[in-house]
Amino acid sequence: MDFHLVPVAEVARSLTTSPIGLTEEAAQQRLVEYGKNQIEDAKKKTVWQLLLHQLTDFMILVLISAAIISGLVGEVKSTYVILAIVMINALVGFFQEYRAEKAMEALKKMASAQAQVLRNKQASKVEASELVPGDVTLLEAGNIIPADVRFIETHALKVDESSLTGESTNVEKNADVLPEGDYPLGDRLNMGYKGTFVTNGRATAYVVGTGMKTELGRIAKLIQTDEVETPLQKRLAVFGKSLSVAVLVLCLIFFGVGWLRGEPLLNLLLVSISLAVAAIPEALPAVVTIALALGAKRLVKSHALIRKLPAVETLGSVTYICTDKTGTLTLNKMTVEQTYEVPTFTLSVLASRNGLLTAMALNNDVVNDPNGNWLGDSTEVALAQFAADKTYVRTILETQFPRIAELPFDSQRKCMTTLHQTPEGILCITKGAVGVLFKQLDSSQKASIPDLRKRVDAMAEQGYRMLGYAGKLLPELPASIVPETIETGLGFIGFAGLIDPPRDEARQAVAECKAAGIIPVMITGDHKLTAKAVAETLGILSSADDLVMTGSELANLDEAAFDAVVENVRVYARVDPEQKLRIVRALQARHQFVAMTGDGVNDAPALKNADIGIAMGINGTEVAKEAAHMILLDDNFATIVKAVKHGRRIFDNILKFIRYIMSGNAGEIWAIFLAPFFGLPIPLLAIHILWVNLLTDGLPGLALAYEPSEKNSMKRPPVDPRQPIFSGSLPWFILWVGLLIGGPRSASRPGLSTMELGTGKP
């Protein structure tokens, strides 16, 4: 049921409840029916399941088979060595996966521990997990909303929904039914959602959704998906399968030729095992892990914390960065950017002052804590800060203009008025939506409204949130302080344009992303005009082909229509969590590799399912951090560019290592494979190969992890993630260099026997 579209009375009927709440007996019955109001975990893997999962790689299975065969034919030492290498690699992977899945625990922490409800016609506190649909809950400033609710009545209620919707300002809530239409979460003003925070006022509300039926629960379901493989994991998987198949074919050919020649079966088995061990780069998983760990260590110094090691390399393959606006590209701090004061209207009591700055300073409820920090609504803080920076400080001004009464802001009037005592009478200052103030102006100012409206519209089109100020002087305090007498016949003082400003460093980072062939896309819960203005300022929108799309427009597109335009959309506004996930998946379906940045609960599903999820470390919620692959410790979008450079460097160095290790292994293969054709004994057994590889592959190969970045790494397009590791000239390089290494060895020292090699006798 769309509870935001129906009257409160109908909500009560559908839930079989009333404003006096449920009885305790009814609540217990519903608890059995609906279950507890808590986020449920998906079925978790056991420790043993996680460990066994590490042993399913095809290359690992080949090594395990080789170890078993070695044991059966009496080469127990080879078995021990091979199994030890397998277990080391398995443990490294196990600990990475074991630490990965904590997002559900973070979601649970967001839930309120207790809630105040009406039960048996009395207010009482219950565990939030015991709430059921139909309960009447009481909310006040400082509360976390414990379930999805439909407001019955509100009193100056404001809710911080930024973690859920991405909306940067607190939302004024009311109990009014909304007209028919399609409303994103941020526009459902008569609804409250589990996990959001009441910043001001109080309210009474019906519980309409609990547990997994809440918006937070729906997000939890979206998080409960399988981990997305990174480009490196995909490449190594293909590389491992291809190499393993080639090894098996090589061993079968060798075994078949030897059997036809009448070679002893035991010798053939030993040689086949040696071939398999020689071909498989058993040091590769460990060296790749170490290379990634070194890269992660470097990134920490650049203020990027890697939670999942393969993500280090993934950055080098990213083609799209889908970034949240609030707190990521912007400062997450409302700021007054432009003001306009009407020059033709002045109040005598303010003749020696700037009327607009005086109104900004006096008409707010902002206070300072002992440390001098501003406390209050983010919009009011911005206005008070702007006035204070111009030396108009409320505490100083109120010594001359003490506040004696006020009319608090409410969503119906869209105004707030403060009344101040002055020597000349009562100064009334009204702050509110500019369009509302125009209707309340004195007749002497009506003629100037068209000009004022043009100025306001011009600023609004730039994405600013507009607030106006008006005032008048009364001879004395009225007996009845009501809007009908106080907020009429006003003189327009001026207006202010506010915006959450872009980060300076984000602008440069966007330019560097484009130079590196990476397309930045803004995905935000904020309004279209605001999002578009920020995107244009940062350079995300830079051509006529770049599109801006709202969540409502996206909802009206089927998959085919969206697929046709997804690569041209640069800004998405007013989107919900499922749509963010849809955007990421649509780009992935177009063979793009997607990074998603964000800080809110609403970003978690997209962070989890993107090729690399990047959470904000300072302003990010725990849910976002646990779902992400990487955390920006400084919340700086520019840090992503540094991380991309590191990612490209690591991938380049891993390719160098594979070229090095496979060339050496190819030499061993050629030596073993060619020896029988020259009538020579087996030159190397499995245990000897493992020892040689330990000395010549692992430690020397690590030096390649310290190779500096290529000079053009950030001037070239990303490497196609679908491109296999064995591409271009690499296979031929490995073959001929391996032959150069192994050919002469296979023809040398013809008198050396298998037994002599086994004993180490010269």
Side-chain angles (χ1 to χ4, degrees):
M1 184 176 186
D2 293 326
F3 292 104
H4 57 287
L5 298 178
V6 298
V8 171
E10 190 172 334
V11 173
R13 281 195 299 273
S14 68
L15 296 172
T16 319
T17 186
S18 71
I20 61 174
L22 301 173
T23 63
E24 192 65 40
E25 182 182 0
Q28 291 304 316
Q29 290 174 350
R30 295 188 186 197
L31 188 61
V32 174
E33 179 183 354
Y34 293 102
K36 289 200 170 187
N37 177 35
Q38 58 189 21
I39 304 301
E40 299 172 1
D41 285 354
K43 186 177 179 181
K44 291 185 176 180
K45 291 181 181 178
T46 65
V47 171
W48 287 109
Q49 285 174 323
L50 289 174
L51 189 56
L52 289 174
H53 178 68
Q54 311 306 316
L55 304 176
T56 58
D57 183 79
F58 199 66
M59 269 202 308
I60 296 296
L61 292 176
V62 172
L63 282 176
I64 292 174
S65 301
I68 293 172
I69 296 172
S70 294
L72 292 176
V73 299
E75 291 290 326
V76 180
K77 291 180 181 178
S78 296
T79 299
Y80 289 155
V81 174
I82 295 172
L83 290 179
I85 291 173
V86 167
M87 288 309 299
I88 290 171
N89 288 330
L91 287 173
V92 170
F94 165 75
F95 284 113
Q96 287 301 313
E97 191 169 342
Y98 184 73
R99 294 174 54 214
E101 297 300 330
K102 293 183 179 178
M104 299 309 302
E105 295 177 15
L107 275 170
K108 285 184 174 181
K109 291 177 183 177
M110 289 193 63
S112 173
Q114 287 190 319
Q116 192 168 19
V117 298
L118 291 177
R119 294 267 178 93
N120 296 330
K121 301 181 182 180
Q122 292 183 341
S124 60
K125 284 190 176 181
V126 300
E127 293 296 319
S129 61
E130 305 294 320
L131 286 179
V132 295
D135 260 327
V136 174
T137 183
L138 308 176
L139 301 167
E140 59 185 20
N143 289 164
I144 295 175
I145 297 180
D148 284 4
V149 300
R150 169 68 158 86
F151 295 115
I152 302 171
E153 61 178 39
T154 62
H155 301 276
L157 183 70
K158 291 186 178 181
V159 179
D160 180 359
E161 295 182 333
S162 60
S163 65
L164 185 65
T165 66
E167 176 65 63
S168 55
T169 59
N170 295 336
V171 182
E172 177 81 15
K173 296 289 187 176
N174 60 59
D176 300 337
V177 63
L178 293 173
E180 283 294 329
D182 183 19
Y183 297 89
L185 293 183
D187 291 340
R188 298 176 188 177
L189 303 181
N190 53 19
M191 298 286 293
Y193 296 102
K194 182 179 177 74
T196 58
F197 186 71
V198 178
T199 59
N200 188 74
R202 55 189 175 84
T204 305
Y206 287 125
V207 173
V208 298
T210 58
M212 299 302 285
K213 299 295 185 182
T214 61
E215 292 297 326
L216 198 65
R218 290 200 300 122
I219 291 174
K221 289 178 183 177
L222 295 175
I223 292 176
Q224 295 173 2
T225 58
D226 294 333
E227 197 72 39
V228 176
E229 283 191 329
T230 69
L232 181 61
Q233 289 171 323
K234 292 175 181 177
R235 287 187 179 110
L236 289 178
V238 172
F239 170 70
K241 289 178 182 178
S242 302
L243 184 61
S244 299
V245 170
V247 168
L248 291 176
V249 171
L250 189 65
C251 291
L252 287 173
I253 292 173
F254 186 87
F255 190 90
V257 171
W259 182 70
L260 291 174
R261 290 178 56 189
E263 295 286 342
L265 290 180
L266 182 60
N267 277 355
L268 286 176
L269 278 174
L270 290 175
V271 174
S272 298
I273 292 170
S274 300
L275 271 175
V277 173
I280 294 175
E282 60 280 336
L284 180 60
V287 171
V288 168
T289 300
I290 292 170
L292 293 174
L294 290 172
K297 185 177 180 181
R298 294 190 197 102
L299 282 173
V300 169
K301 296 178 181 178
S302 299
H303 308 292
L305 176 65
I306 299 297
R307 292 190 64 255
K308 300 168 187 178
L309 277 184
V312 179
E313 180 274 335
T314 307
L315 287 159
S317 300
V318 162
T319 56
Y320 274 74
I321 296 179
C322 297
T323 172
D324 186 43
K325 177 185 74 69
T326 305
T328 308
L329 292 170
T330 64
L331 297 172
N332 195 20
K333 180 181 179 182
M334 292 300 291
T335 305
V336 177
E337 291 287 325
Q338 294 187 30
T339 61
Y340 176 77
E341 183 179 13
V342 178
T344 58
F345 178 81
T346 58
L347 293 171
S348 58
V349 70
L350 301 177
S352 61
R353 303 175 182 276
N354 182 296
L356 182 58
L357 292 175
T358 303
M360 282 185 182
L362 291 174
N363 188 290
N364 68 72
D365 292 323
V366 173
V367 296
N368 291 105
D369 67 12
N371 298 321
N373 298 316
W374 298 93
L375 300 177
D377 177 80
S378 59
T379 299
E380 288 203 332
V381 167
L383 294 163
Q385 177 75 64
F386 183 82
D389 290 344
K390 307 289 186 181
T391 71
Y392 284 76
V393 182
R394 175 184 163 188
T395 53
I396 296 174
L397 287 173
E398 283 190 342
T399 61
Q400 302 172 50
F401 306 106
R403 185 187 297 191
I404 57 175
E406 66 179 274
L407 286 169
F409 181 90
D410 71 51
S411 57
Q412 293 183 338
R413 291 173 25 251
K414 300 186 184 300
C415 290
M416 169 186 177
T417 299
T418 56
L419 290 80
H420 304 266
Q421 183 67 59
T422 75
E424 299 181 28
I426 307 301
L427 174 61
C428 303
I429 301 175
T430 301
K431 173 182 68 185
V434 179
V436 173
L437 292 185
F438 284 162
K439 299 175 183 178
Q440 298 167 335
L441 296 184
D442 184 74
S443 57
S444 63
Q445 275 199 313
K446 296 291 185 182
S448 61
I449 289 178
D451 178 64
L452 291 172
R453 195 182 299 278
K454 285 182 182 179
R455 295 177 183 273
V456 170
D457 291 345
M459 289 175 63
E461 287 175 1
Q462 298 178 54
Y464 294 115
R465 181 186 177 193
M466 306 304 299
L467 278 178
Y469 288 87
K472 66 179 179 180
L473 194 63
L474 297 175
E476 59 184 17
L477 188 67
S480 177
I481 302 176
V482 293
E484 291 75 16
T485 58
I486 302 298
E487 295 177 348
T488 56
L490 301 173
F492 199 73
I493 301 172
F495 51 81
L498 301 93
I499 199 169
D500 182 10
R503 292 174 177 266
D504 290 334
E505 59 271 24
R507 187 180 291 105
Q508 178 64 25
V510 167
E512 292 185 29
C513 281
K514 288 187 172 183
I518 301 169
I519 298 174
V521 176
M522 179 192 292
I523 304 179
T524 177
D526 223 330
H527 292 279
K528 183 175 182 177
L529 278 177
T530 303
K532 183 179 179 182
V534 172
E536 287 176 341
T537 302
L538 292 173
I540 293 174
L541 286 173
S542 57
S543 77
D545 295 329
D546 296 340
L547 303 179
V548 180
M549 184 178 290
T550 65
S552 298
E553 293 167 345
L554 174 55
N556 291 329
L557 294 179
D558 59 24
E559 293 304 321
F562 182 47
D563 189 59
V565 299
V566 65
E567 291 182 309
N568 293 326
V569 181
R570 297 293 179 266
V571 177
Y572 296 90
R574 306 301 274 176
V575 295
D576 59 34
E578 287 92 343
Q579 289 176 327
K580 291 189 177 187
L581 188 55
R582 183 184 176 190
I583 293 163
V584 169
R585 286 176 172 168
L587 286 170
Q588 289 173 330
R590 302 284 292 180
H591 305 297
Q592 302 293 345
F593 265 71
V594 185
M596 170 70 186
T597 71
D599 55 6
V601 178
N602 59 326
D603 297 320
L607 290 173
K608 175 75 178 292
N609 287 275
D611 295 289
I612 176 167
I614 306 170
M616 301 298 111
I618 298 174
N619 293 319
T621 61
E622 287 303 312
V623 180
K625 293 175 186 177
E626 292 296 343
H629 305 82
M630 183 176 91
I631 300 172
L632 298 184
L633 301 178
D634 58 359
D635 282 16
N636 191 339
F637 183 80
T639 303
I640 298 173
V641 179
K642 299 177 185 176
V644 168
K645 186 175 182 179
H646 277 291
R648 293 188 177 188
R649 171 188 180 182
I650 288 168
F651 179 69
D652 288 345
N653 290 347
I654 288 174
L655 281 184
K656 292 173 185 176
F657 175 76
I658 289 174
R659 181 187 294 258
Y660 164 75
I661 191 174
M662 289 307 299
S663 297
N665 285 8
E668 295 168 350
I669 293 170
W670 281 118
I672 296 170
F673 189 75
L674 294 176
F677 294 97
F678 288 98
L680 301 175
I682 305 169
L684 293 168
L685 294 178
I687 194 167
H688 305 136
I689 294 168
L690 290 171
W691 175 248
V692 170
N693 288 355
L694 179 65
L695 294 178
T696 63
D697 289 353
L699 295 177
L702 282 179
L704 293 172
Y706 292 90
E707 281 283 291
S709 297
E710 301 294 333
K711 292 182 179 180
N712 67 336
S713 66
M714 291 301 287
K715 299 296 182 183
R716 69 185 189 216
V719 176
D720 187 347
R722 294 169 292 172
Q723 180 178 311
I725 288 176
F726 275 156
S727 61
S729 61
L730 182 60
W732 301 110
F733 175 88
I734 290 171
L735 285 175
W736 77 261
V737 172
L739 183 60
L740 187 65
I741 296 172
R745 288 183 181 178
S746 63
S748 64
R749 304 188 69 184
L752 197 62
S753 70
T754 302
M755 186 175 293
E756 289 171 332
L757 276 170
T759 59
K761 182 180 176 181

